[in-house]
Amino acid sequence: MTTSTIRTPSRLLLFGIPTFIFFTCYLITLSPIFKNNNQLFSLAILGDLLITAPLLYLFVIRRSSISKTTVLRIVFWGIVVAGIILKAESNQVVHFLKIFISPVIETTLIIVLVRKFVQANKIYKVEVAAKGAEVSLDFLAQCRKILIQVLGNKKAADIFASEISVFYYSFFSRTAFVDNQNTFSNYKKSGVTMVLGCLLFVFLIEATGTHFLFAHWNKTTAWIITGLSAYTCLQLFAHIRSIKARVNVIHENVLELHMGMAADAIVEFDNIEKIEVWKRGEVDKSIFRIALIGGLETQNILIELKEPIEIIRMFGMKKKANKILFYVDEPEKFLERFVKTFFLPQRTQSFSQRLQRKIS
């Protein structure tokens, strides 16, 4: 019996073909031939942007694990490129397509993506329910998993999930329940929210001063810089609120560690070499701090791992570490609960069985 291996196409081929078609269409619009035969070449370019490019992309991914719905991204970018390089006012066909067809395609794209998002959300909730307490229904983690299915690209999903989470934690999140049994806060005694709040206040003052300074030179530039500064402040505000919404959790077999939107780590019990209360001192480069600004934030628990794990930072950036430093408000209770959970009868029995199988 033979089995076929599903291979993911190279990124150069995956994105290179649509990009090449888009760029070629742009070059055609610059030629004198296009200007002399505007109507004919506009239809040909539209066909390449909205039909040829998506079909070639679909052909490349046909036997891969990439979702077929990602072809909608190529259609969307084809519409965007058409709107940029083709002048609707000088072409009745293009004008008709932009005014009547483009909104239909864009609406269909939005409906399909929303439907896909809802379906993926239901599937993820079923998976979480099946795993019980092993995985929490954390918004940012859930959003990452869903967008991977919707977008078909992990890096893009991580970036979009971070952007969506900025607005969610800024306006809709709630403070998580903490019982110091399975869930442990990391902000009540550390003063991290006060430090970051002062930093946010400084950013707001700096943004206001910068706006008035640049407004004397160029108002457009001043508003662009102010917009970027305002969004940076919103990101910091979202991070402060997410610290209260995302707490550290002890599950039956894993530790779920968070510091707002700055960093996430899932640590399996079997991978822990040592865990201890850490007193403030010199931190070597091999230790990863679960914090937004390591030097300004407090940590009090150190974990050393047998094998390095991947820690997810803001915007999907990843870092491997085998020593992790983080903070909990009640370190003694945290370690006491960890020890009790680590030596649960059913967990100890399961570990013994795995060890016996490994030896034999």
Side-chain angles (χ1 to χ4, degrees), residues 85-349:
I85 68 176
L86 298 177
K87 297 180 179 180
E89 63 273 10
S90 61
N91 192 314
Q92 293 181 356
V93 176
V94 176
H95 179 75
F96 174 79
L97 290 173
K98 285 185 176 182
I99 298 299
F100 298 101
I101 305 301
S102 178
V104 173
I105 295 176
E106 291 173 357
T107 303
T108 304
L109 176 63
I110 293 172
I111 292 173
V112 171
L113 289 177
V114 170
R115 186 167 174 266
K116 188 75 175 176
F117 193 93
V118 172
Q119 290 175 344
N121 187 32
K122 290 180 180 179
I123 293 172
Y124 180 65
K125 286 184 177 180
V126 170
E127 290 177 352
V128 170
K131 293 179 181 178
E134 196 66 27
V135 180
S136 66
L137 201 61
D138 175 70
F139 178 83
L140 181 54
Q142 179 189 10
C143 199
R144 285 178 183 141
K145 288 180 177 292
I146 290 172
L147 287 175
I148 288 173
Q149 298 181 41
V150 173
L151 300 176
N153 183 280
K154 196 172 188 304
K155 287 188 177 181
D158 288 338
I159 294 172
F160 275 102
S162 296
E163 297 297 339
I164 293 172
S165 296
V166 167
F167 294 94
Y168 172 79
Y169 288 116
S170 294
F171 306 110
F172 304 107
S173 66
R174 297 180 181 179
T175 301
F177 172 74
V178 174
D179 58 8
N180 289 324
Q181 291 294 319
N182 294 313
T183 56
F184 295 83
S185 61
N186 53 11
Y187 62 89
K188 294 181 179 179
K189 297 182 179 180
S190 65
V192 61
T193 54
M194 182 180 296
V195 171
L196 295 177
C198 292
L199 192 61
L200 175 61
F201 182 70
V202 171
F203 280 171
L204 288 171
I205 295 176
E206 179 270 337
T208 304
T210 303
H211 174 79
F212 286 109
L213 179 65
F214 277 89
H216 291 288
W217 171 58
N218 188 296
K219 289 186 178 181
T220 302
T221 303
W223 280 111
I224 291 173
I225 294 175
T226 301
L228 294 174
S229 300
Y231 187 65
T232 301
C233 291
L234 182 65
Q235 287 179 319
L236 184 55
F237 178 68
H239 172 65
I240 295 171
R241 285 182 55 84
S242 67
I243 291 174
K244 298 181 179 181
R246 312 183 73 214
V247 294
N248 299 319
V249 185
I250 298 179
H251 297 294
E252 184 179 325
N253 291 304
V254 298
L255 292 178
E256 184 181 338
L257 307 176
H258 303 292
M259 175 45 73
M261 298 173 63
D264 304 323
I266 303 296
V267 183
E268 295 183 357
F269 282 9
D270 295 343
N271 192 30
I272 296 176
E273 182 71 32
K274 183 172 69 173
I275 181 170
E276 61 183 358
V277 174
W278 181 81
K279 295 182 180 180
R280 180 175 287 276
E282 187 176 351
V283 180
D284 61 67
K285 294 181 180 180
S286 64
I287 298 178
F288 182 87
R289 292 174 181 260
I290 297 187
L292 180 64
I293 308 172
L296 295 179
E297 300 178 34
T298 305
Q299 292 85 33
N300 57 7
I301 299 288
L302 176 65
I303 293 180
E304 294 186 19
L305 304 173
K306 299 174 185 177
E307 299 291 337
I309 64 169
E310 200 170 59
I311 299 171
I312 303 177
R313 298 187 288 178
M314 293 189 77
F315 304 108
M317 294 184 293
K318 294 178 174 61
K319 171 78 174 179
K320 283 194 173 182
N322 57 4
K323 293 182 180 180
I324 301 174
L325 197 56
F326 62 99
Y327 183 85
V328 291
D329 288 322
E330 302 290 344
E332 290 80 11
K333 291 182 179 180
F334 179 86
L335 290 178
E336 181 183 354
R337 183 62 180 175
F338 169 80
V339 171
K340 288 182 180 179
T341 307
F342 188 88
F343 291 105
L344 281 173
Q346 62 269 28
R347 216 198 89 77
T348 306
Q349 183 181 3

Side-chain angles (χ1 to χ4, degrees), residues 71-90:
V71 73
L72 294 174
R73 293 182 298 183
I74 308 301
V75 175
F76 172 77
W77 285 113
I79 295 172
V80 172
V81 172
I84 295 173
I85 68 176
L86 298 177
K87 297 180 179 180
E89 63 273 10
S90 61

Side-chain angles (χ1 to χ4, degrees), residues 41-59:
F41 276 96
S42 293
L43 286 174
I45 287 174
L46 280 171
D48 286 337
L49 294 176
L50 302 181
I51 299 175
T52 305
L55 284 179
L56 287 176
Y57 175 84
L58 188 61
F59 178 79

